[in-house]
């Protein structure tokens, strides 16, 4: 713990200097917490052992040993290293042990990916059947390893839930992510979220921008009519009165039918397989059971490749 008692030096300092000293002490305290690997929120012994194993294996240039280590331990939450309480004590980063482990895992993956294969027919190569022997690693074995490792580690996905007014919120979230280049390749939608998910899965970057422009304030209003500036200025009271009536009758202010119409006009009759071939994005649409007590149905380019996405 950081002592709260004032020293003689602190007593003689002006108030601003004492405040700065306290801030510096708090920052240093957080640094000490990061340097101390022990914590009850994650298995620091497991992380330390795997870190040392990866370092020693890389130093020996044992490529097969690296593959075995990565296959057995490359998961997102190994030893509970993603626990929230490990990341709320500093402005950036977490325990230095965890950061060192992530760095070494990244270097190990780079080492496997950059490993130079022995010449065909030399010692360590056993033909072109994808087998490994005497330190040799075929191209197919490397691809299989990277594919399996990626599957085990998982991918980031964007999940858009249902609900009428949420569809408009989802549109704003997707636009913000797309403009910053942070939109994942895997998107899942249900209900109103499926409308926005369909646009993401079918449209490329240029078409997405055109969709936002259509849905924006310049072309389409969210009260169900095309904007005409002069008419909007004269009928603003009628427009807000209509929104109030919609809230009373439907439970929300904005007209989601506008979003649905824009999506249908933008997406068109495109199947899940065609959408994947066009954008390389994985569109998933979840349909709940009719009776509400069964497993929902999942539509994508693998389960229903020939189904038109907008007809669900």
């Amino acid at each position: 713990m950081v002592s709260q008692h004032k020293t003689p030096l602190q007593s003689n300092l002006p108030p601003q200097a004492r405040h700065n000293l306290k801030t510096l002490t708090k920052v240093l305290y957080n640094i000490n917490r990061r340097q101390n690997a022990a914590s009850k929120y994650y298995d620091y012994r497991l992380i330390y052992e795997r870190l040392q194993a990866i370092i020693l294996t890389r130093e020996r240039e044992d490529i097969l040993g690296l593959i075995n280590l990565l296959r057995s331990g490359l998961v997102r939450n190994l030893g509970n290293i993603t626990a929230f309480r490990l990341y709320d004590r500093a402005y950036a980063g977490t325990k230095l042990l965890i950061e060192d482990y992530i760095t070494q895992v990244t270097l190990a993956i780079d080492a496997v990916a950059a490993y130079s294969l022995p010449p065909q027919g030399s010692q360590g190569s056993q033909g072109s059947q994808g087998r490994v022997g005497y330190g040799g690693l075929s191209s197919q074995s490397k691809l299989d390893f990277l594919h399996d490792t990626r599957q085990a580690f998982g991918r980031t996905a964007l999940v858009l839930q249902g609900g009428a007014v949420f569809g408009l919120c989802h549109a704003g979230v997707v636009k913000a992510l797309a403009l910053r280049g942070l939109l994942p390749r895997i998107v899942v939608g249900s209900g109103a979220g499926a409308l926005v998910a369909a646009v993401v899965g079918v449209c490329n970057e240029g078409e997405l921008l055109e969709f936002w422009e259509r849905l924006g304030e310049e072309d389409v209003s969210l009260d169900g009519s095309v904007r005409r500036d002069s008419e909007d200025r004269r009928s603003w009271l009628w427009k807000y009165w209509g929104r109030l009536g919609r809230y009373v009758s439907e439970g929300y202010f904005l007209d989601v039918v506008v979003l649905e119409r824009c999506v249908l006009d933008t997406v068109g009759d495109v199947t899940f397989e065609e959408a994947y071939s066009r954008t390389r994005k994985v569109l998933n649409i979840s349909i709940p059971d009719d009776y509400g007590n069964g497993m929902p149905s999942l539509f994508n380019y693998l389960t229903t490749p020939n189904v038109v996405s907008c007809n669900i």
Side-chain angles (χ1 to χ4, degrees), residues 3 18 31-32 43 50-51 61 73 79 83 87 110 142 147-148 173 224 238 262 289 302:
S3 176
R18 288 201 301 269
I31 291 177
N32 292 334
D43 192 347
R50 295 198 65 87
L51 172 63
E61 298 182 355
Y87 297 85
D110 291 340
K142 234 182 0 178
H147 180 269
D148 295 343
V173 171
W238 175 261
C262 289
D289 180 71
L302 293 177

Side-chain angles (χ1 to χ4, degrees), residues 197-210:
V199 176
V200 176
V202 173
C203 299
N204 53 36
E205 294 182 1
E207 293 170 338
L208 276 177
L209 294 178
E210 294 178 0

Side-chain angles (χ1 to χ4, degrees), residues 223 229-243:
D223 61 350
D229 293 338
S230 59
E231 295 181 3
D232 281 348
R233 294 190 184 98
R234 293 194 301 266
S235 61
W236 64 270
L237 182 59
W238 175 261
K239 179 175 61 177
Y240 285 106
W241 180 259
R243 291 184 180 181

Side-chain angles (χ1 to χ4, degrees), residues 22 25 44 55 66 78 83 108 135 161 168 179 188 195-196 199 208 214 223 230 252 260 299:
K22 290 180 180 179
T25 303
Y44 60 91
I55 293 175
L66 279 179
L78 179 67
Q161 70 182 53
L168 303 173
L179 292 178
V188 184
L195 295 173
V196 182
V199 176
L208 276 177
R214 288 197 59 201
D223 61 350
S230 59
Y252 50 84
E260 182 179 356
F299 295 78

Side-chain angles (χ1 to χ4, degrees), residues 75-261:
V75 294
R76 286 182 181 266
N77 197 25
L78 179 67
N80 202 32
I81 61 175
T82 62
F84 170 76
R85 296 297 297 272
L86 296 173
Y87 297 85
D88 65 347
R89 301 297 181 180
Y91 290 105
T94 180
K95 297 286 188 180
L96 297 183
L97 175 62
I98 297 177
E99 295 183 0
D100 292 342
Y101 170 74
I102 294 175
T103 300
Q104 290 298 325
V105 168
T106 304
L107 293 175
I109 295 175
D110 291 340
V112 174
Y115 178 75
S116 57
L117 303 176
Q120 184 71 22
S122 63
Q123 182 179 7
S125 176
Q126 296 185 1
S128 58
Q129 301 301 320
R131 293 186 297 241
V132 179
Y134 302 105
L137 184 65
S138 69
S139 297
Q140 186 60 46
S141 297
K142 234 182 0 178
L143 288 175
D144 292 342
F145 158 71
L146 295 174
H147 180 269
D148 295 343
T149 303
R150 186 183 69 173
Q151 292 295 104
F153 189 71
R155 299 290 298 274
T156 301
L158 178 64
V159 181
L160 307 175
Q161 70 182 53
V165 73
F166 282 116
L168 303 173
C169 300
H170 294 331
V173 171
V174 170
K175 179 180 180 181
L177 293 175
L179 292 178
R180 289 162 178 77
L182 301 176
L183 198 60
R185 285 185 59 246
I186 303 175
V187 59
V188 184
S190 176
L195 295 173
V196 182
V199 176
V200 176
V202 173
C203 299
N204 53 36
E205 294 182 1
E207 293 170 338
L208 276 177
L209 294 178
E210 294 178 0
F211 173 77
W212 306 132
E213 292 178 358
R214 288 197 59 201
L215 196 60
E217 293 183 352
E218 296 181 359
D219 297 324
V220 179
S221 68
L222 295 178
D223 61 350
S225 61
V226 178
R227 281 189 182 275
R228 297 178 179 85
D229 293 338
S230 59
E231 295 181 3
D232 281 348
R233 294 190 184 98
R234 293 194 301 266
S235 61
W236 64 270
L237 182 59
W238 175 261
K239 179 175 61 177
Y240 285 106
W241 180 259
R243 291 184 180 181
L244 180 60
R246 185 181 300 112
Y247 180 78
V248 174
S249 60
E250 304 292 340
Y252 50 84
F253 287 104
L254 303 178
D255 192 357
V256 187
V257 176
V258 177
L259 174 64
E260 182 179 356
R261 185 168 62 246

